[in-house]
Amino acid sequence: MKVSIDQSKCIACGTCVAVCPEVFVMKEDGSVDVKDEYKDKDIPSELESKVIEAKEVCPTAAIVTKE
Ligand code: SF4
């Protein structure tokens, strides 16, 4: 599973970072993104459930996953 953030929807609330700090990061400019190490890469299977949880709680549905 791969994950990305639609920056046109993200409001940088930080919820996904709180739920899954292994994958999501708040950057110095205040924006939130997928960590470079997981961009366009398969998420380790042990982290998939946390990524899905983050997707479910994102208030703007900005988190996009694909198999
Ligand atoms: S939870 Fe959604 S809106 Fe909030 S920082 Fe993460 S991607 Fe952006």
Side-chain angles (χ1 to χ4, degrees), residues 1-42:
M1 186 179 79
K2 293 175 179 163
V3 63
S4 59
I5 292 180
D6 182 342
Q7 294 293 339
S8 71
K9 291 184 180 175
C10 177
I11 58 171
C13 66
T15 303
C16 57
V17 182
V19 170
C20 186
E22 296 90 342
V23 173
F24 301 101
V25 62
M26 183 166 283
K27 300 197 284 190
E28 284 184 11
D29 65 1
S31 67
V32 173
D33 207 349
V34 174
K35 286 185 174 179
D36 286 343
E37 63 201 276
Y38 293 128
K39 278 194 177 169
D40 297 317
K41 307 245 171 57
D42 281 320

